[in-house]
Amino acid sequence: MVFKVYFQENIKEVPVRENTMVLYVEGESVRDVRKKVADRGYNVEFVQVVTGAYLEYEQQNEDYKVLEI
C-alpha cells in the first residue's frame, strides 16, 4: 500500500502547518512506514493510507514520487 507521510524536516522543531512537507512511502501498515522513516530524523505528524480515487488524484501531482525504503 502507499502511505502519505506529513512531516517536519527537523524533529526538534515545533510543527508549523506552513512548513509541513509530504512524502509517499510503500509499506504494509502505518507502523511499518513509521519504522522506515524513523532513521531520517523527521518529525512525523501524520501517516495516511492513499487508495482508490485519492491515489489517482495524488499521482497527477508533479511532486508525486513513492519512496521504496
Side-chain angles (χ1 to χ4, degrees):
M1 288 195 293
V2 176
F3 291 85
K4 186 173 184 178
V5 180
Y6 297 87
F7 69 97
Q8 304 287 317
E9 284 191 312
N10 189 345
I11 198 163
K12 296 183 182 202
E13 289 183 12
V14 176
V16 178
R17 176 179 237 161
E18 289 79 9
N19 297 335
T20 299
M21 303 179 86
V22 173
L23 61 91
Y24 300 90
V25 180
E26 279 194 22
E28 298 294 319
S29 66
V30 172
R31 177 180 278 180
D32 180 43
V33 171
R34 285 185 177 272
K35 284 181 184 179
K36 288 181 177 183
V37 297
D39 64 338
R40 295 179 177 246
Y42 295 152
N43 183 2
V44 177
E45 295 178 37
F46 186 66
V47 179
Q48 178 180 20
V49 66
V50 182
T51 59
Y54 185 41
L55 177 59
E56 291 173 17
Y57 173 78
E58 291 292 337
Q59 289 172 334
Q60 293 174 6
N61 186 349
E62 62 188 37
D63 295 331
Y64 178 82
K65 294 177 188 158
V66 176
L67 293 179
E68 295 182 18
I69 303 172

Short mmCIF file of all heavy atoms in Angstrom, two decimals:
data_model
loop_
_atom_site.label_atom_id
_atom_site.label_comp_id
_atom_site.label_asym_id
_atom_site.label_seq_id
_atom_site.Cartn_x
_atom_site.Cartn_y
_atom_site.Cartn_z
N MET A 1 0.84 -1.17 0.00
CA MET A 1 0.00 0.00 0.00
C MET A 1 0.89 1.24 0.00
O MET A 1 2.02 1.20 0.44
CB MET A 1 -0.89 0.02 1.24
CG MET A 1 -1.99 -1.00 1.22
SD MET A 1 -3.28 -0.70 2.45
CE MET A 1 -2.40 -0.97 3.95
N VAL A 2 0.31 2.32 -0.47
CA VAL A 2 1.01 3.60 -0.48
C VAL A 2 0.47 4.46 0.65
O VAL A 2 -0.74 4.55 0.86
CB VAL A 2 0.82 4.31 -1.83
CG1 VAL A 2 1.48 5.68 -1.82
CG2 VAL A 2 1.36 3.47 -2.97
N PHE A 3 1.39 5.08 1.39
CA PHE A 3 1.03 5.94 2.50
C PHE A 3 1.57 7.34 2.26
O PHE A 3 2.67 7.51 1.72
CB PHE A 3 1.61 5.41 3.81
CG PHE A 3 0.98 4.13 4.27
CD1 PHE A 3 1.43 2.91 3.79
CD2 PHE A 3 -0.06 4.15 5.18
CE1 PHE A 3 0.85 1.73 4.22
CE2 PHE A 3 -0.64 2.98 5.61
CZ PHE A 3 -0.19 1.76 5.13
N LYS A 4 0.80 8.35 2.65
CA LYS A 4 1.21 9.74 2.57
C LYS A 4 1.67 10.15 3.96
O LYS A 4 0.91 10.04 4.92
CB LYS A 4 0.04 10.60 2.10
CG LYS A 4 0.39 12.04 1.84
CD LYS A 4 -0.80 12.77 1.23
CE LYS A 4 -0.47 14.18 0.87
NZ LYS A 4 -1.62 14.86 0.23
N VAL A 5 2.91 10.61 4.06
CA VAL A 5 3.51 10.96 5.34
C VAL A 5 3.68 12.48 5.41
O VAL A 5 4.36 13.07 4.58
CB VAL A 5 4.88 10.27 5.51
CG1 VAL A 5 5.50 10.64 6.85
CG2 VAL A 5 4.76 8.77 5.36
N TYR A 6 3.03 13.09 6.39
CA TYR A 6 3.18 14.52 6.64
C TYR A 6 4.24 14.68 7.71
O TYR A 6 4.16 14.04 8.76
CB TYR A 6 1.86 15.11 7.16
CG TYR A 6 0.72 15.02 6.18
CD1 TYR A 6 -0.09 13.88 6.12
CD2 TYR A 6 0.44 16.06 5.32
CE1 TYR A 6 -1.14 13.80 5.24
CE2 TYR A 6 -0.63 16.00 4.44
CZ TYR A 6 -1.42 14.86 4.39
OH TYR A 6 -2.45 14.78 3.51
N PHE A 7 5.25 15.54 7.46
CA PHE A 7 6.35 15.64 8.41
C PHE A 7 7.00 17.02 8.38
O PHE A 7 6.82 17.80 7.45
CB PHE A 7 7.41 14.58 8.10
CG PHE A 7 8.15 14.82 6.81
CD1 PHE A 7 9.38 15.46 6.82
CD2 PHE A 7 7.62 14.43 5.59
CE1 PHE A 7 10.07 15.69 5.64
CE2 PHE A 7 8.30 14.66 4.41
CZ PHE A 7 9.54 15.29 4.44
N GLN A 8 7.76 17.29 9.44
CA GLN A 8 8.66 18.43 9.52
C GLN A 8 10.07 17.88 9.36
O GLN A 8 10.36 16.78 9.83
CB GLN A 8 8.53 19.12 10.88
CG GLN A 8 7.14 19.56 11.24
CD GLN A 8 6.68 20.76 10.44
OE1 GLN A 8 7.43 21.69 10.24
NE2 GLN A 8 5.46 20.72 9.98
N GLU A 9 10.96 18.63 8.74
CA GLU A 9 12.31 18.13 8.49
C GLU A 9 13.14 17.96 9.75
O GLU A 9 13.98 17.09 9.82
CB GLU A 9 13.05 19.04 7.52
CG GLU A 9 12.60 18.85 6.09
CD GLU A 9 13.51 19.55 5.12
OE1 GLU A 9 13.83 20.73 5.34
OE2 GLU A 9 13.89 18.91 4.14
N ASN A 10 12.90 18.79 10.76
CA ASN A 10 13.70 18.72 11.97
C ASN A 10 12.84 18.22 13.13
O ASN A 10 11.83 18.83 13.46
CB ASN A 10 14.28 20.09 12.31
CG ASN A 10 15.29 20.04 13.42
OD1 ASN A 10 15.39 19.07 14.16
ND2 ASN A 10 16.05 21.11 13.54
N ILE A 11 13.25 17.15 13.75
CA ILE A 11 12.47 16.54 14.83
C ILE A 11 12.41 17.43 16.07
O ILE A 11 11.52 17.30 16.89
CB ILE A 11 13.03 15.15 15.18
CG1 ILE A 11 12.00 14.35 15.94
CG2 ILE A 11 14.33 15.25 15.94
CD1 ILE A 11 12.27 12.88 15.99
N LYS A 12 13.33 18.38 16.21
CA LYS A 12 13.39 19.22 17.39
C LYS A 12 12.54 20.49 17.27
O LYS A 12 12.38 21.20 18.24
CB LYS A 12 14.83 19.59 17.70
CG LYS A 12 15.65 18.36 18.06
CD LYS A 12 17.04 18.71 18.44
CE LYS A 12 17.77 17.40 18.71
NZ LYS A 12 18.90 17.57 19.54
N GLU A 13 12.00 20.76 16.08
CA GLU A 13 11.19 21.96 15.90
C GLU A 13 9.71 21.67 16.16
O GLU A 13 9.23 20.56 15.94
CB GLU A 13 11.35 22.49 14.48
CG GLU A 13 12.70 23.10 14.22
CD GLU A 13 12.81 23.68 12.83
OE1 GLU A 13 11.79 23.82 12.14
OE2 GLU A 13 13.94 23.99 12.43
N VAL A 14 9.03 22.69 16.57
CA VAL A 14 7.59 22.59 16.78
C VAL A 14 6.91 22.55 15.40
O VAL A 14 7.26 23.34 14.53
CB VAL A 14 7.08 23.80 17.59
CG1 VAL A 14 5.58 23.77 17.73
CG2 VAL A 14 7.76 23.86 18.93
N PRO A 15 5.95 21.65 15.19
CA PRO A 15 5.29 21.58 13.89
C PRO A 15 4.54 22.88 13.55
O PRO A 15 3.80 23.40 14.36
CB PRO A 15 4.29 20.43 14.04
CG PRO A 15 4.81 19.62 15.16
CD PRO A 15 5.51 20.58 16.08
N VAL A 16 4.78 23.36 12.35
CA VAL A 16 4.11 24.54 11.83
C VAL A 16 3.50 24.14 10.50
O VAL A 16 4.19 23.63 9.61
CB VAL A 16 5.11 25.71 11.63
CG1 VAL A 16 4.40 26.91 11.04
CG2 VAL A 16 5.78 26.07 12.94
N ARG A 17 2.22 24.36 10.35
CA ARG A 17 1.50 23.90 9.16
C ARG A 17 2.16 24.35 7.86
O ARG A 17 2.24 23.60 6.90
CB ARG A 17 0.06 24.40 9.22
CG ARG A 17 -0.73 24.06 7.99
CD ARG A 17 -2.14 24.53 8.08
NE ARG A 17 -2.98 23.37 7.90
CZ ARG A 17 -4.22 23.29 8.26
NH1 ARG A 17 -4.81 24.29 8.84
NH2 ARG A 17 -4.91 22.20 8.06
N GLU A 18 2.64 25.59 7.82
CA GLU A 18 3.23 26.12 6.60
C GLU A 18 4.54 25.42 6.24
O GLU A 18 4.98 25.49 5.09
CB GLU A 18 3.48 27.62 6.74
CG GLU A 18 2.22 28.45 6.74
CD GLU A 18 1.49 28.46 8.09
OE1 GLU A 18 2.03 27.96 9.10
OE2 GLU A 18 0.36 28.96 8.13
N ASN A 19 5.17 24.77 7.19
CA ASN A 19 6.44 24.08 6.94
C ASN A 19 6.28 22.58 6.76
O ASN A 19 7.27 21.87 6.61
CB ASN A 19 7.42 24.35 8.09
CG ASN A 19 7.77 25.81 8.21
OD1 ASN A 19 7.68 26.56 7.24
ND2 ASN A 19 8.15 26.23 9.39
N THR A 20 5.06 22.09 6.80
CA THR A 20 4.82 20.67 6.67
C THR A 20 5.14 20.20 5.26
O THR A 20 4.74 20.82 4.28
CB THR A 20 3.36 20.33 7.00
OG1 THR A 20 3.10 20.70 8.35
CG2 THR A 20 3.08 18.85 6.84
N MET A 21 5.88 19.11 5.19
CA MET A 21 6.25 18.52 3.91
C MET A 21 5.57 17.16 3.79
O MET A 21 5.09 16.62 4.78
CB MET A 21 7.76 18.40 3.82
CG MET A 21 8.47 19.73 4.00
SD MET A 21 10.22 19.58 3.92
CE MET A 21 10.43 19.68 2.17
N VAL A 22 5.58 16.61 2.58
CA VAL A 22 4.90 15.35 2.32
C VAL A 22 5.82 14.43 1.54
O VAL A 22 6.56 14.87 0.66
CB VAL A 22 3.61 15.59 1.50
CG1 VAL A 22 2.99 14.29 1.06
CG2 VAL A 22 2.62 16.41 2.27
N LEU A 23 5.77 13.15 1.88
CA LEU A 23 6.41 12.14 1.05
C LEU A 23 5.52 10.91 1.01
O LEU A 23 4.65 10.72 1.86
CB LEU A 23 7.82 11.81 1.54
CG LEU A 23 8.04 11.24 2.93
CD1 LEU A 23 8.01 9.72 2.89
CD2 LEU A 23 9.40 11.69 3.40
N TYR A 24 5.71 10.11 0.00
CA TYR A 24 4.91 8.91 -0.20
C TYR A 24 5.81 7.70 -0.02
O TYR A 24 6.91 7.64 -0.57
CB TYR A 24 4.29 8.90 -1.60
CG TYR A 24 3.40 10.08 -1.84
CD1 TYR A 24 3.90 11.26 -2.37
CD2 TYR A 24 2.06 10.03 -1.51
CE1 TYR A 24 3.09 12.36 -2.57
CE2 TYR A 24 1.23 11.12 -1.70
CZ TYR A 24 1.75 12.28 -2.23
OH TYR A 24 0.95 13.37 -2.42
N VAL A 25 5.33 6.73 0.76
CA VAL A 25 6.14 5.56 1.09
C VAL A 25 5.28 4.31 0.93
O VAL A 25 4.11 4.30 1.32
CB VAL A 25 6.65 5.63 2.55
CG1 VAL A 25 7.48 4.42 2.90
CG2 VAL A 25 7.45 6.90 2.78
N GLU A 26 5.88 3.26 0.35
CA GLU A 26 5.19 1.98 0.29
C GLU A 26 5.45 1.23 1.58
O GLU A 26 6.56 1.24 2.10
CB GLU A 26 5.71 1.16 -0.89
CG GLU A 26 5.11 1.55 -2.19
CD GLU A 26 5.36 0.52 -3.28
OE1 GLU A 26 5.62 -0.65 -2.95
OE2 GLU A 26 5.29 0.91 -4.44
N GLY A 27 4.40 0.59 2.09
CA GLY A 27 4.54 -0.17 3.32
C GLY A 27 3.35 -1.07 3.58
O GLY A 27 2.35 -1.00 2.87
N GLU A 28 3.48 -1.88 4.60
CA GLU A 28 2.42 -2.81 4.98
C GLU A 28 1.39 -2.18 5.91
O GLU A 28 0.22 -2.51 5.87
CB GLU A 28 3.03 -4.04 5.66
CG GLU A 28 3.97 -4.82 4.78
CD GLU A 28 3.26 -5.47 3.61
OE1 GLU A 28 2.14 -5.99 3.80
OE2 GLU A 28 3.82 -5.43 2.49
N SER A 29 1.86 -1.27 6.78
CA SER A 29 0.99 -0.65 7.77
C SER A 29 1.58 0.71 8.17
O SER A 29 2.70 1.04 7.80
CB SER A 29 0.87 -1.54 9.00
OG SER A 29 2.13 -1.63 9.65
N VAL A 30 0.82 1.45 8.96
CA VAL A 30 1.29 2.74 9.46
C VAL A 30 2.54 2.53 10.30
O VAL A 30 3.52 3.27 10.19
CB VAL A 30 0.19 3.45 10.28
CG1 VAL A 30 0.73 4.68 10.96
CG2 VAL A 30 -1.00 3.81 9.40
N ARG A 31 2.54 1.50 11.13
CA ARG A 31 3.70 1.20 11.97
C ARG A 31 4.93 0.90 11.12
O ARG A 31 6.04 1.37 11.41
CB ARG A 31 3.40 0.02 12.89
CG ARG A 31 4.59 -0.39 13.74
CD ARG A 31 4.25 -1.53 14.62
NE ARG A 31 3.56 -0.98 15.78
CZ ARG A 31 3.11 -1.70 16.77
NH1 ARG A 31 3.23 -3.01 16.75
NH2 ARG A 31 2.52 -1.14 17.79
N ASP A 32 4.75 0.14 10.06
CA ASP A 32 5.84 -0.19 9.15
C ASP A 32 6.42 1.07 8.51
O ASP A 32 7.64 1.24 8.44
CB ASP A 32 5.34 -1.16 8.08
CG ASP A 32 6.41 -1.56 7.09
OD1 ASP A 32 7.54 -1.84 7.53
OD2 ASP A 32 6.11 -1.61 5.88
N VAL A 33 5.57 1.97 8.07
CA VAL A 33 6.01 3.22 7.44
C VAL A 33 6.76 4.08 8.45
O VAL A 33 7.81 4.65 8.14
CB VAL A 33 4.82 3.98 6.83
CG1 VAL A 33 5.23 5.37 6.37
CG2 VAL A 33 4.24 3.19 5.67
N ARG A 34 6.24 4.18 9.66
CA ARG A 34 6.93 4.98 10.70
C ARG A 34 8.32 4.41 10.99
O ARG A 34 9.27 5.16 11.20
CB ARG A 34 6.10 5.04 11.97
CG ARG A 34 4.91 5.97 11.85
CD ARG A 34 4.19 6.10 13.18
NE ARG A 34 3.09 7.04 13.10
CZ ARG A 34 3.20 8.35 13.30
NH1 ARG A 34 4.37 8.87 13.59
NH2 ARG A 34 2.15 9.13 13.21
N LYS A 35 8.46 3.09 10.99
CA LYS A 35 9.77 2.48 11.20
C LYS A 35 10.72 2.82 10.05
O LYS A 35 11.90 3.05 10.27
CB LYS A 35 9.64 0.96 11.31
CG LYS A 35 9.12 0.49 12.63
CD LYS A 35 9.06 -1.02 12.66
CE LYS A 35 8.45 -1.53 13.95
NZ LYS A 35 8.36 -3.00 13.95
N LYS A 36 10.20 2.83 8.83
CA LYS A 36 11.02 3.10 7.66
C LYS A 36 11.56 4.52 7.64
O LYS A 36 12.67 4.76 7.17
CB LYS A 36 10.23 2.83 6.38
CG LYS A 36 9.99 1.36 6.12
CD LYS A 36 9.23 1.16 4.84
CE LYS A 36 9.06 -0.33 4.55
NZ LYS A 36 8.38 -0.57 3.27
N VAL A 37 10.80 5.49 8.12
CA VAL A 37 11.26 6.88 8.08
C VAL A 37 11.89 7.33 9.40
O VAL A 37 12.37 8.45 9.51
CB VAL A 37 10.12 7.85 7.69
CG1 VAL A 37 9.63 7.57 6.29
CG2 VAL A 37 8.99 7.84 8.68
N ALA A 38 11.94 6.46 10.40
CA ALA A 38 12.45 6.83 11.72
C ALA A 38 13.92 7.26 11.68
O ALA A 38 14.31 8.18 12.39
CB ALA A 38 12.28 5.67 12.69
N ASP A 39 14.73 6.64 10.84
CA ASP A 39 16.16 6.96 10.81
C ASP A 39 16.48 8.26 10.06
O ASP A 39 17.61 8.69 10.05
CB ASP A 39 16.93 5.80 10.18
CG ASP A 39 16.56 5.55 8.73
OD1 ASP A 39 15.46 5.97 8.32
OD2 ASP A 39 17.38 4.95 8.01
N ARG A 40 15.50 8.89 9.47
CA ARG A 40 15.73 10.11 8.70
C ARG A 40 15.67 11.38 9.55
O ARG A 40 15.97 12.46 9.08
CB ARG A 40 14.71 10.22 7.57
CG ARG A 40 14.90 9.12 6.56
CD ARG A 40 13.88 9.20 5.46
NE ARG A 40 14.14 8.17 4.49
CZ ARG A 40 14.52 8.41 3.25
NH1 ARG A 40 14.64 9.64 2.82
NH2 ARG A 40 14.75 7.41 2.42
N GLY A 41 15.26 11.27 10.80
CA GLY A 41 15.23 12.43 11.69
C GLY A 41 14.06 13.36 11.45
O GLY A 41 14.12 14.53 11.80
N TYR A 42 13.00 12.85 10.85
CA TYR A 42 11.81 13.67 10.60
C TYR A 42 10.89 13.67 11.81
O TYR A 42 10.82 12.69 12.55
CB TYR A 42 11.00 13.12 9.41
CG TYR A 42 11.69 13.18 8.08
CD1 TYR A 42 11.39 12.25 7.09
CD2 TYR A 42 12.63 14.15 7.78
CE1 TYR A 42 11.99 12.30 5.85
CE2 TYR A 42 13.23 14.21 6.54
CZ TYR A 42 12.91 13.27 5.58
OH TYR A 42 13.51 13.32 4.35
N ASN A 43 10.16 14.76 11.99
CA ASN A 43 9.11 14.84 12.98
C ASN A 43 7.81 14.48 12.25
O ASN A 43 7.18 15.32 11.63
CB ASN A 43 9.03 16.24 13.58
CG ASN A 43 8.01 16.35 14.67
OD1 ASN A 43 7.37 15.37 15.03
ND2 ASN A 43 7.85 17.54 15.21
N VAL A 44 7.43 13.20 12.30
CA VAL A 44 6.26 12.72 11.57
C VAL A 44 5.00 13.17 12.29
O VAL A 44 4.80 12.85 13.45
CB VAL A 44 6.29 11.19 11.42
CG1 VAL A 44 5.03 10.70 10.73
CG2 VAL A 44 7.53 10.76 10.66
N GLU A 45 4.16 13.91 11.57
CA GLU A 45 2.92 14.40 12.15
C GLU A 45 1.78 13.41 11.95
O GLU A 45 0.99 13.18 12.86
CB GLU A 45 2.53 15.72 11.49
CG GLU A 45 3.48 16.85 11.76
CD GLU A 45 3.05 18.11 11.04
OE1 GLU A 45 1.84 18.38 10.95
OE2 GLU A 45 3.94 18.82 10.56
N PHE A 46 1.69 12.86 10.73
CA PHE A 46 0.53 12.04 10.40
C PHE A 46 0.89 11.11 9.25
O PHE A 46 1.60 11.50 8.33
CB PHE A 46 -0.64 12.95 10.01
CG PHE A 46 -1.93 12.24 9.78
CD1 PHE A 46 -2.59 11.60 10.80
CD2 PHE A 46 -2.51 12.22 8.53
CE1 PHE A 46 -3.80 10.95 10.60
CE2 PHE A 46 -3.72 11.58 8.30
CZ PHE A 46 -4.36 10.95 9.34
N VAL A 47 0.39 9.89 9.30
CA VAL A 47 0.57 8.93 8.21
C VAL A 47 -0.81 8.50 7.76
O VAL A 47 -1.63 8.07 8.57
CB VAL A 47 1.39 7.70 8.67
CG1 VAL A 47 1.54 6.71 7.54
CG2 VAL A 47 2.75 8.13 9.20
N GLN A 48 -1.06 8.61 6.45
CA GLN A 48 -2.39 8.35 5.92
C GLN A 48 -2.28 7.38 4.74
O GLN A 48 -1.46 7.57 3.85
CB GLN A 48 -3.00 9.67 5.45
CG GLN A 48 -4.34 9.58 4.82
CD GLN A 48 -4.84 10.95 4.39
OE1 GLN A 48 -4.07 11.89 4.22
NE2 GLN A 48 -6.13 11.06 4.20
N VAL A 49 -3.12 6.36 4.73
CA VAL A 49 -3.16 5.43 3.61
C VAL A 49 -3.81 6.14 2.41
O VAL A 49 -4.75 6.91 2.57
CB VAL A 49 -3.90 4.13 3.96
CG1 VAL A 49 -5.36 4.36 4.22
CG2 VAL A 49 -3.70 3.09 2.89
N VAL A 50 -3.25 5.88 1.21
CA VAL A 50 -3.75 6.52 -0.01
C VAL A 50 -4.20 5.41 -0.96
O VAL A 50 -3.37 4.62 -1.42
CB VAL A 50 -2.65 7.38 -0.66
CG1 VAL A 50 -3.17 8.07 -1.89
CG2 VAL A 50 -2.10 8.39 0.33
N THR A 51 -5.50 5.35 -1.25
CA THR A 51 -6.04 4.32 -2.13
C THR A 51 -7.10 4.89 -3.05
O THR A 51 -7.59 6.00 -2.84
CB THR A 51 -6.68 3.17 -1.32
OG1 THR A 51 -7.72 3.71 -0.50
CG2 THR A 51 -5.67 2.45 -0.45
N GLY A 52 -7.48 4.12 -4.03
CA GLY A 52 -8.60 4.44 -4.90
C GLY A 52 -8.47 5.77 -5.63
O GLY A 52 -7.42 6.10 -6.17
N ALA A 53 -9.56 6.52 -5.65
CA ALA A 53 -9.61 7.80 -6.35
C ALA A 53 -8.62 8.80 -5.76
O ALA A 53 -8.05 9.62 -6.48
CB ALA A 53 -11.03 8.36 -6.32
N TYR A 54 -8.41 8.72 -4.44
CA TYR A 54 -7.46 9.63 -3.79
C TYR A 54 -6.05 9.37 -4.30
O TYR A 54 -5.29 10.30 -4.56
CB TYR A 54 -7.55 9.46 -2.28
CG TYR A 54 -6.71 10.42 -1.48
CD1 TYR A 54 -6.61 11.76 -1.81
CD2 TYR A 54 -6.02 9.98 -0.37
CE1 TYR A 54 -5.84 12.64 -1.07
CE2 TYR A 54 -5.25 10.86 0.38
CZ TYR A 54 -5.17 12.17 0.02
OH TYR A 54 -4.39 13.03 0.76
N LEU A 55 -5.68 8.11 -4.49
CA LEU A 55 -4.38 7.75 -5.03
C LEU A 55 -4.24 8.26 -6.46
O LEU A 55 -3.21 8.82 -6.83
CB LEU A 55 -4.15 6.25 -4.97
CG LEU A 55 -2.84 5.73 -5.55
CD1 LEU A 55 -1.65 6.36 -4.85
CD2 LEU A 55 -2.79 4.22 -5.47
N GLU A 56 -5.26 8.08 -7.26
CA GLU A 56 -5.24 8.56 -8.64
C GLU A 56 -5.05 10.08 -8.69
O GLU A 56 -4.29 10.59 -9.52
CB GLU A 56 -6.53 8.18 -9.36
CG GLU A 56 -6.66 6.70 -9.60
CD GLU A 56 -8.02 6.32 -10.17
OE1 GLU A 56 -8.74 7.21 -10.68
OE2 GLU A 56 -8.35 5.13 -10.12
N TYR A 57 -5.72 10.78 -7.80
CA TYR A 57 -5.58 12.24 -7.73
C TYR A 57 -4.15 12.63 -7.35
O TYR A 57 -3.55 13.51 -7.95
CB TYR A 57 -6.58 12.81 -6.71
CG TYR A 57 -6.39 14.28 -6.45
CD1 TYR A 57 -6.86 15.23 -7.36
CD2 TYR A 57 -5.74 14.73 -5.31
CE1 TYR A 57 -6.68 16.58 -7.13
CE2 TYR A 57 -5.55 16.08 -5.07
CZ TYR A 57 -6.03 17.00 -5.98
OH TYR A 57 -5.84 18.34 -5.75
N GLU A 58 -3.60 11.97 -6.34
CA GLU A 58 -2.24 12.28 -5.90
C GLU A 58 -1.21 11.97 -6.98
O GLU A 58 -0.21 12.67 -7.11
CB GLU A 58 -1.90 11.51 -4.62
CG GLU A 58 -2.66 11.96 -3.39
CD GLU A 58 -2.28 13.36 -2.92
OE1 GLU A 58 -1.17 13.83 -3.23
OE2 GLU A 58 -3.09 13.97 -2.23
N GLN A 59 -1.43 10.93 -7.77
CA GLN A 59 -0.50 10.55 -8.83
C GLN A 59 -0.42 11.61 -9.93
O GLN A 59 0.57 11.67 -10.65
CB GLN A 59 -0.88 9.20 -9.43
CG GLN A 59 -0.61 8.06 -8.48
CD GLN A 59 -1.15 6.75 -8.97
OE1 GLN A 59 -2.10 6.70 -9.76
NE2 GLN A 59 -0.56 5.66 -8.51
N GLN A 60 -1.42 12.45 -10.05
CA GLN A 60 -1.42 13.52 -11.05
C GLN A 60 -0.52 14.69 -10.63
O GLN A 60 -0.13 15.49 -11.46
CB GLN A 60 -2.84 14.03 -11.29
CG GLN A 60 -3.72 13.00 -11.94
CD GLN A 60 -5.15 13.45 -12.03
OE1 GLN A 60 -5.48 14.58 -11.73
NE2 GLN A 60 -6.02 12.56 -12.47
N ASN A 61 -0.17 14.77 -9.35
CA ASN A 61 0.68 15.82 -8.84
C ASN A 61 2.10 15.61 -9.36
O ASN A 61 2.62 14.50 -9.33
CB ASN A 61 0.66 15.80 -7.31
CG ASN A 61 1.41 16.95 -6.69
OD1 ASN A 61 2.12 17.69 -7.36
ND2 ASN A 61 1.25 17.10 -5.38
N GLU A 62 2.74 16.68 -9.82
CA GLU A 62 4.10 16.55 -10.36
C GLU A 62 5.13 16.17 -9.30
O GLU A 62 6.20 15.66 -9.62
CB GLU A 62 4.52 17.86 -11.03
CG GLU A 62 4.58 19.04 -10.09
CD GLU A 62 4.80 20.35 -10.82
OE1 GLU A 62 4.25 20.51 -11.92
OE2 GLU A 62 5.51 21.19 -10.27
N ASP A 63 4.83 16.38 -8.01
CA ASP A 63 5.75 16.04 -6.93
C ASP A 63 5.54 14.61 -6.41
O ASP A 63 6.21 14.20 -5.47
CB ASP A 63 5.59 17.02 -5.76
CG ASP A 63 6.00 18.43 -6.15
OD1 ASP A 63 6.86 18.57 -7.02
OD2 ASP A 63 5.44 19.37 -5.59
N TYR A 64 4.66 13.85 -7.02
CA TYR A 64 4.35 12.51 -6.55
C TYR A 64 5.49 11.55 -6.92
O TYR A 64 5.77 11.31 -8.09
CB TYR A 64 3.04 12.01 -7.17
CG TYR A 64 2.69 10.60 -6.77
CD1 TYR A 64 2.06 10.34 -5.58
CD2 TYR A 64 2.99 9.52 -7.60
CE1 TYR A 64 1.74 9.05 -5.20
CE2 TYR A 64 2.69 8.23 -7.24
CZ TYR A 64 2.05 8.01 -6.04
OH TYR A 64 1.74 6.72 -5.66
N LYS A 65 6.17 11.04 -5.89
CA LYS A 65 7.21 10.04 -6.05
C LYS A 65 7.14 9.12 -4.84
O LYS A 65 7.16 9.59 -3.70
CB LYS A 65 8.60 10.67 -6.10
CG LYS A 65 8.81 11.52 -7.33
CD LYS A 65 10.16 12.18 -7.29
CE LYS A 65 10.22 13.17 -8.44
NZ LYS A 65 11.18 14.19 -8.24
N VAL A 66 7.04 7.84 -5.07
CA VAL A 66 6.95 6.88 -3.97
C VAL A 66 8.36 6.43 -3.61
O VAL A 66 9.12 5.96 -4.46
CB VAL A 66 6.09 5.66 -4.38
CG1 VAL A 66 6.09 4.63 -3.26
CG2 VAL A 66 4.69 6.09 -4.71
N LEU A 67 8.71 6.58 -2.33
CA LEU A 67 10.00 6.10 -1.84
C LEU A 67 9.91 4.63 -1.53
O LEU A 67 8.97 4.18 -0.88
CB LEU A 67 10.39 6.85 -0.56
CG LEU A 67 10.70 8.31 -0.69
CD1 LEU A 67 11.05 8.89 0.69
CD2 LEU A 67 11.85 8.55 -1.63
N GLU A 68 10.87 3.89 -2.00
CA GLU A 68 10.94 2.47 -1.68
C GLU A 68 12.10 2.28 -0.74
O GLU A 68 13.25 2.22 -1.15
CB GLU A 68 11.09 1.65 -2.95
CG GLU A 68 9.87 1.76 -3.85
CD GLU A 68 9.99 0.91 -5.10
OE1 GLU A 68 10.83 -0.01 -5.11
OE2 GLU A 68 9.24 1.17 -6.03
N ILE A 69 11.78 2.23 0.53
CA ILE A 69 12.82 2.14 1.57
C ILE A 69 12.94 0.70 2.04
O ILE A 69 11.99 0.04 2.27
CB ILE A 69 12.48 3.06 2.77
CG1 ILE A 69 12.32 4.47 2.27
CG2 ILE A 69 13.53 2.97 3.82
CD1 ILE A 69 11.80 5.43 3.31
#
